[in-house]
Amino acid sequence: MVITNPESKISISRSVDPSSDGKRDFVIVFAGKTQVITRTVPAPQTTNPAPQTFTQPQPLQPSSRPQTTSLRGNQVMVDAAWDTLVQRDRDLSSTYTLVDIETRRSGSVSNFSGVWSNGSRDSRVFRSSSWDQFRSRRNQLRGQGYRIKDVEVGVGTTDFEYVGLWERGSADHKLWVGLTWQQFLQKRTEYLKEGLQLIDVEGYTRAGETRYAGIWAPGRADKIWKAKNNNGFISRHRQYRGEGHYLKDFETVVEDGATQYIGIWLPGNTANKIWINDAQSGFENMGREFAAEGLELIDLELRPNGSRQSFSGVWTGLISGNRGTSTTGNQSSGGDFKLLEE
């Protein structure tokens, strides 16, 4: 799905949770004027899909035929086997770059989704059920001049699966997995003092508790917030937009049966839009509208919704701005688990 925004003043976001009749309100802000539109979409499910046991990387068949979408500036593939996704990346490498990967379990198989952005840049992907193997590959790629930019953690019944996306670059990055939210924020504070800012967050379930993975890159100006509802998230998004930051990464996690919304904002003056929890058809329609405005999809978030998935995404235009100070968001406590560093 394509996207890159000029100077658009339109902001669209969902403002409230769905009611029992399946209706949701979406807030549209245009040139400072706000309008609420009610639309009926499937209500999200607040439980995780059944986990699976992961083995060493091998071809897995998706639960259904992968779906691809091509719009001006982006390519998107949803629910593909790993080998299919990797082959798609090779086929597109001359004109597109893989910028985001999503994983999900469907019954006893893993499915993978990817977002490609217009323009060819040197990148690598890797998948492993062994943390030691994943870390070894990460160190190997780092020695070859690649820096990790996206991490996914899949949870099985007895093991984890790690998926990473690297892009060629000279600046070093840091990666941690297995953190509680409190530990995650502490690590963020520590790295900010070293001149590193958060660029990616991943939430997953470990031993019945929510755990987090994060990637840090050079910079000192990230903002992060975890909200318990859409209203809280949208309010914070508007505040940070007013302070000259754009939403870089969006993540949903389920804690105590309720969905939490997490965002990472970085400095930059660019058009920035988020569309939350829609069916795939509605999501693609909005993607076409945003593409027509010159916006680019930079982040795809999928979550269970009964037998289907809810689609959320972040779109931006050309990014400008510098790195400055930082702001901390909500905090919540967690258990004492071993930290797994990159």
Side-chain angles (χ1 to χ4, degrees), residues 197-212:
Q197 65 185 4
L198 191 63
I199 63 169
D200 182 58
V201 60
E202 165 76 0
Y204 59 97
T205 301
R206 172 180 175 176
E209 299 284 345
T210 303
R211 292 292 177 264
Y212 297 89

Side-chain angles (χ1 to χ4, degrees), residues 244-317:
H245 285 65
Y246 71 95
L247 183 63
K248 168 67 168 59
D249 188 42
F250 175 73
E251 179 79 3
T252 59
V253 297
V254 176
E255 294 182 349
D256 300 323
T259 300
Q260 307 273 320
Y261 302 86
I262 305 172
I264 297 173
W265 290 260
L266 298 179
N269 297 315
T270 176
N272 192 207
K273 298 184 180 182
I274 180 170
W275 191 255
I276 301 177
N277 290 349
D278 204 349
Q280 183 171 354
S281 58
F283 182 84
E284 291 179 354
N285 288 336
M286 288 310 305
R288 293 185 181 93
E289 290 187 26
F290 294 157
E293 298 173 18
L295 292 172
E296 178 180 54
L297 180 65
I298 62 170
D299 185 42
L300 174 67
E301 175 70 9
L302 305 176
R303 58 190 294 260
N305 181 9
S307 61
R308 300 185 179 182
Q309 298 185 90
S310 285
F311 287 68
S312 300
V314 178
W315 289 260
T316 68

Side-chain angles (χ1 to χ4, degrees), residues 143-164:
Q144 296 173 0
Y146 294 89
R147 301 297 178 256
I148 191 166
K149 59 178 295 184
D150 185 29
V151 64
E152 293 287 316
V153 182
V155 181
T157 55
T158 61
D159 205 350
F160 296 89
E161 182 177 57
Y162 305 94
V163 177

Side-chain angles (χ1 to χ4, degrees), residues 44-61:
Q45 177 179 317
T46 58
T47 58
N48 289 323
Q52 74 169 102
T53 301
F54 293 102
T55 58
Q56 288 299 106
Q58 56 181 309
L60 294 174
Q61 294 301 316

Side-chain angles (χ1 to χ4, degrees), residues 30-103:
F30 177 77
K33 299 181 179 179
T34 301
Q35 180 179 0
V36 177
I37 296 178
T38 300
R39 180 180 179 186
T40 301
V41 295
Q45 177 179 317
T46 58
T47 58
N48 289 323
Q52 74 169 102
T53 301
F54 293 102
T55 58
Q56 288 299 106
Q58 56 181 309
L60 294 174
Q61 294 301 316
S63 59
S64 60
R65 183 178 180 180
Q67 304 174 59
T68 60
T69 300
S70 176
L71 296 174
R72 189 181 64 189
N74 282 103
Q75 298 281 336
V76 176
M77 173 174 277
V78 176
D79 284 350
W82 177 252
D83 284 358
T84 303
L85 183 85
V86 172
Q87 185 59 54
R88 181 65 171 171
D89 187 43
R90 293 189 185 119
D91 294 341
L92 294 173
S93 61
S94 63
T95 52
Y96 290 89
T97 300
L98 185 62
V99 296
D100 186 45
I101 295 179
E102 284 291 306
T103 65

